Amino acid sequence: MIAAGDLFFRRVYALVREIPRGRVATYGQIAEMLGVPRGARAVGWALRALPGHEEGSVPWHRVVGAGGRISPRGGPGPQMQRRLLEAEGVDFRSGRIDIARHGLLAPDGRRAAR
DNA sequence: TTGCTGACTTGGC
DNA sequence: AGCCAAGCCAGCA
């Protein structure tokens, strides 16, 4: 259960839940949606504090860094994140995600991917 | 209230 | 292409 005061965290979680399967959003993009263009780090903080309770409900793995690269955090996290994304059809051919295709507002390019 | 840290981003070497 | 430094935001001691 999230504390009543942690409104920012709840907003972040709510937004991440809205990310469709097979698509990804960047920290900066989420922050901008929240009305905080430079609050990318705050978004990361929120996800870091993501309780295991919400972990099953919030697709945190669909949140990546700018340029479609997974933020190294020193744990099995990044590896699992990449695995989950690949399972959704996200292409890591270049070692990073193509935001132009898998981005939140990007047209479904998964089909065009090759 | 002050200061440090961090799942970030951008710009310069 | 990869590494370093500065800027910004929120939470916690």
Side-chain angles (χ1 to χ4, degrees), chain A residues 26-93:
Chain A
T26 66
Y27 297 93
Q29 190 171 10
I30 293 174
E32 188 176 355
M33 291 178 186
L34 292 175
V36 190
R38 271 67 180 177
R41 300 190 68 171
V43 175
W45 185 267
L47 291 177
R48 180 184 182 281
L50 182 66
H53 167 72
E54 296 284 344
E55 192 171 344
S57 177
V58 179
W60 56 271
H61 57 278
R62 292 176 189 156
V63 183
V64 298
R69 18 182 235 80
I70 298 177
S71 300
R73 75 202 71 156
Q79 186 178 350
M80 176 170 58
Q81 183 174 11
R82 174 169 177 164
R83 188 173 68 83
L84 290 172
L85 288 174
E86 287 179 338
E88 294 185 353
V90 177
D91 186 16
F92 273 84
R93 58 175 291 213

Coordinates of all heavy atoms in Angstrom, one line a residue, chain A residues 26-93:
Chain A
T26 N 10.2 6.4 -22.0 CA 11.5 6.8 -21.4 C 11.1 7.5 -20.1 O 10.0 8.0 -19.9 CB 12.3 7.7 -22.2 OG1 11.6 9.0 -22.4 CG2 12.6 7.1 -23.6
Y27 N 12.1 7.6 -19.1 CA 11.9 8.2 -17.9 C 11.5 9.7 -18.1 O 10.6 10.2 -17.5 CB 13.1 8.2 -17.0 CG 13.6 6.8 -16.7 CD1 14.4 6.1 -17.5 CD2 13.0 6.2 -15.6 CE1 14.8 4.8 -17.1 CE2 13.4 4.9 -15.2 CZ 14.3 4.2 -16.0 OH 14.7 2.9 -15.7
G28 N 12.2 10.3 -19.0 CA 12.0 11.7 -19.3 C 10.6 11.9 -19.9 O 9.9 12.9 -19.5
Q29 N 10.1 11.0 -20.7 CA 8.8 11.2 -21.3 C 7.7 11.0 -20.2 O 6.8 11.8 -20.2 CB 8.6 10.0 -22.3 CG 7.4 10.2 -23.1 CD 7.3 9.3 -24.3 OE1 8.1 8.3 -24.4 NE2 6.4 9.5 -25.2
I30 N 7.9 10.1 -19.3 CA 6.9 9.9 -18.2 C 6.9 11.2 -17.3 O 5.9 11.7 -16.9 CB 7.3 8.7 -17.4 CG1 7.1 7.5 -18.2 CG2 6.5 8.7 -16.1 CD1 7.6 6.2 -17.5
A31 N 8.1 11.7 -17.0 CA 8.2 12.9 -16.2 C 7.5 14.1 -16.9 O 6.8 14.8 -16.2 CB 9.7 13.2 -16.0
E32 N 7.7 14.1 -18.2 CA 7.0 15.2 -18.9 C 5.5 15.1 -18.8 O 4.8 16.1 -18.7 CB 7.5 15.2 -20.4 CG 7.0 16.4 -21.2 CD 7.6 16.4 -22.6 OE1 8.4 15.5 -22.9 OE2 7.2 17.2 -23.4
M33 N 5.0 13.9 -18.9 CA 3.6 13.6 -18.8 C 3.1 14.1 -17.5 O 1.9 14.5 -17.3 CB 3.3 12.1 -19.0 CG 3.5 11.7 -20.4 SD 3.2 9.9 -20.6 CE 3.8 9.6 -22.3
L34 N 3.9 13.9 -16.4 CA 3.5 14.3 -15.1 C 3.6 15.8 -14.9 O 3.3 16.3 -13.8 CB 4.5 13.6 -14.1 CG 4.3 12.1 -14.0 CD1 5.3 11.5 -13.1 CD2 2.9 11.7 -13.5
G35 N 4.2 16.5 -15.9 CA 4.3 17.9 -15.8 C 5.6 18.3 -15.2 O 5.8 19.5 -14.8
V36 N 6.6 17.4 -15.2 CA 7.9 17.7 -14.7 C 9.0 17.3 -15.8 O 9.5 16.2 -15.7 CB 8.2 17.0 -13.4 CG1 9.5 17.5 -12.8 CG2 7.0 17.2 -12.5
P37 N 9.2 18.2 -16.7 CA 10.1 17.9 -17.9 C 11.5 17.4 -17.4 O 12.1 16.6 -18.1 CB 10.2 19.2 -18.6 CG 9.0 19.9 -18.2 CD 8.6 19.5 -16.8
R38 N 12.0 17.9 -16.3 CA 13.3 17.5 -15.8 C 13.3 16.6 -14.7 O 14.2 16.5 -13.9 CB 14.1 18.8 -15.4 CG 14.9 19.4 -16.5 CD 14.0 20.0 -17.6 NE 14.7 20.5 -18.7 CZ 14.1 21.1 -19.7 NH1 12.9 21.0 -19.8 NH2 14.9 21.6 -20.7
G39 N 12.1 15.9 -14.5 CA 12.0 15.0 -13.4 C 12.2 13.6 -13.7 O 11.7 12.7 -13.0
A40 N 13.1 13.3 -14.7 CA 13.3 11.9 -15.1 C 13.9 11.1 -13.9 O 13.5 10.0 -13.7 CB 14.3 11.9 -16.2
R41 N 14.8 11.8 -13.1 CA 15.4 11.1 -12.0 C 14.4 10.7 -11.0 O 14.5 9.7 -10.3 CB 16.5 11.9 -11.4 CG 17.6 12.2 -12.4 CD 18.8 12.9 -11.8 NE 19.4 11.9 -10.9 CZ 20.6 12.1 -10.4 NH1 21.2 13.2 -10.6 NH2 21.2 11.2 -9.6
A42 N 13.4 11.6 -10.8 CA 12.4 11.4 -9.8 C 11.5 10.1 -10.2 O 11.1 9.4 -9.4 CB 11.5 12.6 -9.7
V43 N 11.3 10.0 -11.5 CA 10.6 8.8 -12.0 C 11.4 7.6 -11.7 O 10.8 6.6 -11.2 CB 10.4 8.9 -13.5 CG1 9.8 7.6 -14.1 CG2 9.6 10.1 -13.9
G44 N 12.7 7.6 -11.9 CA 13.6 6.5 -11.5 C 13.5 6.2 -10.0 O 13.4 5.0 -9.6
W45 N 13.4 7.2 -9.3 CA 13.3 7.1 -7.8 C 12.0 6.3 -7.5 O 12.0 5.5 -6.6 CB 13.3 8.4 -7.1 CG 13.4 8.3 -5.7 CD1 12.3 8.3 -4.8 CD2 14.5 8.1 -4.8 NE1 12.7 8.2 -3.5 CE2 14.1 8.1 -3.5 CE3 15.9 8.0 -5.1 CZ2 14.9 7.9 -2.4 CZ3 16.7 7.9 -4.0 CH2 16.2 7.8 -2.7
A46 N 11.0 6.7 -8.1 CA 9.7 6.1 -7.9 C 9.7 4.6 -8.2 O 9.2 3.8 -7.5 CB 8.6 6.8 -8.7
L47 N 10.3 4.3 -9.3 CA 10.3 2.9 -9.7 C 11.2 2.1 -8.8 O 11.0 0.9 -8.6 CB 10.8 2.8 -11.2 CG 9.8 3.3 -12.2 CD1 10.4 3.3 -13.6 CD2 8.5 2.6 -12.1
R48 N 12.3 2.7 -8.3 CA 13.2 2.1 -7.4 C 12.4 1.7 -6.1 O 12.7 0.7 -5.5 CB 14.3 3.0 -7.1 CG 15.3 2.4 -6.2 CD 16.4 3.4 -5.8 NE 17.4 2.8 -4.9 CZ 17.3 2.7 -3.6 NH1 16.1 3.0 -3.0 NH2 18.2 2.1 -2.9
A49 N 11.5 2.6 -5.8 CA 10.7 2.3 -4.5 C 9.5 1.5 -4.8 O 8.7 1.3 -3.9 CB 10.3 3.7 -4.0
L50 N 9.4 1.0 -6.0 CA 8.3 0.2 -6.4 C 8.2 -1.1 -5.5 O 9.0 -1.9 -5.5 CB 8.4 -0.3 -7.9 CG 7.2 -1.1 -8.4 CD1 6.0 -0.2 -8.4 CD2 7.5 -1.6 -9.8
P51 N 7.1 -1.2 -4.7 CA 6.9 -2.3 -3.8 C 6.6 -3.6 -4.6 O 6.1 -3.5 -5.7 CB 5.7 -1.9 -3.0 CG 5.4 -0.5 -3.3 CD 6.0 -0.2 -4.6
G52 N 7.1 -4.7 -4.1 CA 6.9 -6.0 -4.8 C 5.4 -6.2 -5.0 O 5.0 -6.8 -5.9
H53 N 4.6 -5.6 -4.1 CA 3.1 -5.7 -4.3 C 2.7 -5.1 -5.6 O 1.8 -5.7 -6.3 CB 2.5 -4.9 -3.1 CG 1.0 -4.7 -3.3 ND1 0.1 -5.7 -3.2 CD2 0.3 -3.6 -3.6 CE1 -1.1 -5.2 -3.4 NE2 -1.0 -4.0 -3.7
E54 N 3.2 -4.0 -6.0 CA 2.8 -3.4 -7.2 C 3.6 -3.9 -8.4 O 3.2 -3.7 -9.5 CB 3.0 -1.8 -7.1 CG 2.2 -1.2 -6.0 CD 0.8 -1.0 -6.5 OE1 0.5 -1.1 -7.7 OE2 -0.1 -0.8 -5.6
E55 N 4.7 -4.6 -8.1 CA 5.6 -5.0 -9.1 C 4.9 -5.9 -10.1 O 5.2 -5.9 -11.3 CB 6.7 -5.8 -8.5 CG 7.8 -6.1 -9.5 CD 9.1 -6.6 -8.8 OE1 9.1 -6.5 -7.6 OE2 9.9 -7.2 -9.5
G56 N 3.9 -6.7 -9.7 CA 3.1 -7.5 -10.6 C 2.1 -6.8 -11.3 O 1.6 -7.2 -12.4
S57 N 1.8 -5.6 -10.9 CA 0.7 -4.8 -11.5 C 1.3 -3.7 -12.4 O 0.6 -3.3 -13.4 CB -0.2 -4.2 -10.4 OG -1.1 -3.3 -11.0
V58 N 2.5 -3.3 -12.1 CA 3.1 -2.2 -12.9 C 4.2 -2.8 -13.8 O 5.2 -3.3 -13.3 CB 3.7 -1.2 -12.0 CG1 4.4 -0.1 -12.8 CG2 2.7 -0.6 -11.1
P59 N 4.0 -2.6 -15.1 CA 5.0 -3.1 -16.1 C 6.3 -2.2 -16.1 O 6.5 -1.6 -17.1 CB 4.3 -3.0 -17.4 CG 3.3 -1.9 -17.2 CD 2.9 -2.0 -15.8
W60 N 7.0 -2.2 -15.0 CA 8.2 -1.4 -14.9 C 9.2 -1.6 -16.0 O 10.0 -0.8 -16.3 CB 8.8 -1.6 -13.5 CG 9.1 -3.1 -13.3 CD1 8.3 -4.0 -12.7 CD2 10.4 -3.7 -13.6 NE1 9.0 -5.2 -12.7 CE2 10.3 -5.1 -13.3 CE3 11.6 -3.3 -14.2 CZ2 11.3 -6.0 -13.5 CZ3 12.6 -4.2 -14.4 CH2 12.4 -5.5 -14.1
H61 N 9.2 -2.8 -16.5 CA 10.2 -3.2 -17.5 C 10.0 -2.4 -18.8 O 10.9 -2.4 -19.7 CB 10.2 -4.7 -17.8 CG 8.8 -5.2 -18.2 ND1 7.8 -5.4 -17.3 CD2 8.3 -5.4 -19.4 CE1 6.8 -5.9 -18.0 NE2 7.0 -5.9 -19.3
R62 N 8.8 -1.7 -18.9 CA 8.6 -1.0 -20.2 C 9.1 0.5 -20.1 O 8.9 1.3 -20.9 CB 7.1 -1.0 -20.5 CG 6.6 -2.3 -20.8 CD 5.1 -2.4 -21.0 NE 4.6 -3.8 -21.2 CZ 3.4 -4.2 -20.9 NH1 2.5 -3.3 -20.5 NH2 3.1 -5.4 -21.1
V63 N 9.8 0.7 -19.0 CA 10.4 2.1 -18.8 C 11.9 2.0 -19.0 O 12.5 1.3 -18.3 CB 10.1 2.6 -17.4 CG1 10.6 4.0 -17.2 CG2 8.6 2.6 -17.1
V64 N 12.3 2.7 -20.0 CA 13.8 2.6 -20.3 C 14.4 4.0 -20.4 O 13.7 5.0 -20.3 CB 14.0 1.9 -21.7 CG1 13.5 0.5 -21.6 CG2 13.3 2.7 -22.8
G65 N 15.7 4.1 -20.5 CA 16.4 5.4 -20.5 C 16.3 6.0 -21.9 O 15.8 5.4 -22.9
A66 N 16.8 7.2 -22.0 CA 16.8 7.9 -23.3 C 17.6 7.1 -24.4 O 18.6 6.5 -24.1 CB 17.4 9.3 -23.2
G67 N 17.0 7.1 -25.6 CA 17.7 6.4 -26.6 C 17.4 4.9 -26.6 O 17.9 4.1 -27.4
G68 N 16.5 4.5 -25.7 CA 16.0 3.1 -25.7 C 17.0 2.2 -25.0 O 17.0 1.0 -25.3
R69 N 17.8 2.7 -24.1 CA 18.8 1.8 -23.5 C 18.4 1.6 -22.0 O 17.8 2.5 -21.4 CB 20.2 2.4 -23.5 CG 20.3 3.8 -23.7 CD 21.7 4.3 -23.8 NE 21.9 5.4 -22.8 CZ 22.1 5.1 -21.6 NH1 22.1 3.9 -21.1 NH2 22.3 6.1 -20.8
I70 N 18.6 0.4 -21.6 CA 18.2 0.0 -20.2 C 19.3 0.6 -19.2 O 20.4 0.4 -19.4 CB 18.2 -1.5 -20.1 CG1 17.1 -2.1 -21.0 CG2 17.9 -1.9 -18.6 CD1 17.0 -3.6 -21.0
S71 N 18.8 1.2 -18.2 CA 19.6 1.8 -17.2 C 20.3 0.7 -16.3 O 19.6 0.0 -15.7 CB 18.8 2.8 -16.3 OG 18.2 3.8 -17.1
P72 N 21.6 0.7 -16.3 CA 22.4 -0.2 -15.5 C 22.2 0.1 -14.0 O 22.4 1.2 -13.6 CB 23.8 0.0 -15.9 CG 23.9 1.4 -16.5 CD 22.5 1.7 -17.0
R73 N 21.7 -0.9 -13.3 CA 21.5 -0.6 -11.8 C 22.2 -1.6 -11.0 O 22.0 -1.7 -9.8 CB 20.0 -0.6 -11.6 CG 19.4 -2.0 -11.5 CD 17.9 -1.9 -11.8 NE 17.6 -1.6 -13.1 CZ 16.5 -2.0 -13.7 NH1 15.6 -2.6 -13.1 NH2 16.3 -1.6 -15.0
G74 N 23.1 -2.4 -11.6 CA 23.8 -3.3 -10.8 C 23.0 -4.4 -10.1 O 23.0 -4.6 -8.9
G75 N 22.4 -5.2 -10.9 CA 21.6 -6.3 -10.4 C 21.0 -7.1 -11.5 O 21.3 -6.8 -12.7
P76 N 20.2 -8.1 -11.2 CA 19.6 -8.9 -12.3 C 18.5 -8.2 -13.0 O 17.9 -8.7 -13.9 CB 19.0 -10.1 -11.5 CG 18.7 -9.6 -10.1 CD 19.8 -8.5 -9.9
G77 N 18.2 -7.0 -12.4 CA 17.1 -6.2 -13.0 C 17.2 -6.0 -14.5 O 16.3 -6.4 -15.2
P78 N 18.2 -5.3 -15.0 CA 18.3 -5.0 -16.4 C 18.2 -6.3 -17.3 O 17.6 -6.2 -18.3 CB 19.8 -4.4 -16.5 CG 20.0 -3.9 -15.1 CD 19.3 -4.8 -14.2
Q79 N 18.8 -7.3 -16.9 CA 18.8 -8.6 -17.6 C 17.4 -9.1 -17.8 O 16.9 -9.4 -18.9 CB 19.7 -9.6 -17.0 CG 19.8 -10.9 -17.8 CD 20.8 -11.9 -17.1 OE1 21.4 -11.5 -16.1 NE2 20.8 -13.1 -17.6
M80 N 16.7 -9.1 -16.6 CA 15.3 -9.6 -16.7 C 14.4 -8.6 -17.5 O 13.5 -9.0 -18.2 CB 14.8 -9.6 -15.2 CG 13.3 -10.0 -15.1 SD 12.8 -10.4 -13.4 CE 13.2 -8.9 -12.6
Q81 N 14.7 -7.3 -17.4 CA 14.0 -6.3 -18.1 C 14.1 -6.6 -19.6 O 13.1 -6.6 -20.3 CB 14.5 -4.9 -17.8 CG 13.7 -3.8 -18.4 CD 14.1 -2.5 -18.0 OE1 15.2 -2.3 -17.3 NE2 13.4 -1.4 -18.3
R82 N 15.3 -6.8 -20.0 CA 15.5 -7.0 -21.5 C 14.8 -8.3 -21.9 O 14.1 -8.4 -22.9 CB 17.0 -7.2 -21.7 CG 17.2 -7.6 -23.2 CD 18.7 -7.5 -23.5 NE 18.9 -8.0 -24.9 CZ 20.0 -7.7 -25.6 NH1 21.0 -7.0 -25.0 NH2 20.2 -8.2 -26.8
R83 N 14.8 -9.3 -21.1 CA 14.2 -10.6 -21.4 C 12.7 -10.4 -21.5 O 12.0 -10.9 -22.5 CB 14.5 -11.6 -20.3 CG 14.0 -13.0 -20.7 CD 14.5 -14.0 -19.6 NE 13.8 -13.8 -18.3 CZ 12.6 -14.3 -18.0 NH1 12.0 -15.0 -18.9 NH2 12.1 -14.0 -16.8
L84 N 12.1 -9.6 -20.6 CA 10.6 -9.4 -20.6 C 10.2 -8.6 -21.9 O 9.2 -8.9 -22.5 CB 10.2 -8.6 -19.4 CG 10.3 -9.4 -18.1 CD1 10.1 -8.5 -16.9 CD2 9.3 -10.5 -18.1
L85 N 11.0 -7.6 -22.2 CA 10.7 -6.8 -23.4 C 10.8 -7.6 -24.7 O 10.0 -7.5 -25.6 CB 11.7 -5.6 -23.4 CG 11.4 -4.6 -22.4 CD1 12.5 -3.5 -22.4 CD2 10.0 -3.9 -22.6
E86 N 11.8 -8.5 -24.7 CA 12.0 -9.3 -25.9 C 10.8 -10.2 -26.1 O 10.3 -10.5 -27.2 CB 13.3 -10.1 -25.8 CG 14.5 -9.3 -26.0 CD 15.8 -10.1 -25.9 OE1 15.7 -11.1 -25.2 OE2 16.8 -9.6 -26.4
A87 N 10.3 -10.7 -24.9 CA 9.1 -11.6 -24.9 C 7.9 -10.8 -25.5 O 6.9 -11.5 -25.9 CB 8.8 -12.1 -23.5
E88 N 7.9 -9.5 -25.4 CA 6.8 -8.7 -25.9 C 7.0 -8.3 -27.3 O 6.2 -7.6 -27.9 CB 6.6 -7.5 -25.0 CG 6.1 -7.9 -23.6 CD 5.8 -6.7 -22.8 OE1 6.1 -5.5 -23.3 OE2 5.3 -6.8 -21.7
G89 N 8.1 -8.7 -27.9 CA 8.3 -8.4 -29.3 C 9.2 -7.2 -29.5 O 9.3 -6.7 -30.7
V90 N 9.7 -6.6 -28.5 CA 10.6 -5.5 -28.6 C 12.0 -5.9 -29.2 O 12.5 -6.9 -28.7 CB 10.8 -4.8 -27.2 CG1 11.8 -3.6 -27.4 CG2 9.5 -4.3 -26.7
D91 N 12.4 -5.2 -30.1 CA 13.6 -5.5 -30.9 C 14.9 -4.9 -30.2 O 15.0 -3.7 -30.1 CB 13.5 -5.1 -32.3 CG 14.7 -5.6 -33.1 OD1 15.4 -6.5 -32.6 OD2 14.9 -5.1 -34.2
F92 N 15.8 -5.8 -29.8 CA 17.1 -5.3 -29.3 C 18.2 -5.5 -30.2 O 19.4 -5.7 -29.8 CB 17.4 -6.1 -28.0 CG 16.7 -5.4 -26.8 CD1 15.4 -5.7 -26.5 CD2 17.4 -4.6 -26.0 CE1 14.8 -5.1 -25.4 CE2 16.9 -4.0 -24.9 CZ 15.5 -4.3 -24.6
R93 N 18.0 -5.6 -31.5 CA 19.0 -5.9 -32.5 C 20.2 -5.0 -32.3 O 21.3 -5.5 -32.6 CB 18.4 -5.7 -33.9 CG 17.9 -4.3 -34.1 CD 17.5 -4.2 -35.5 NE 18.6 -4.2 -36.4 CZ 18.7 -3.5 -37.6 NH1 17.6 -2.7 -37.9 NH2 19.7 -3.6 -38.3

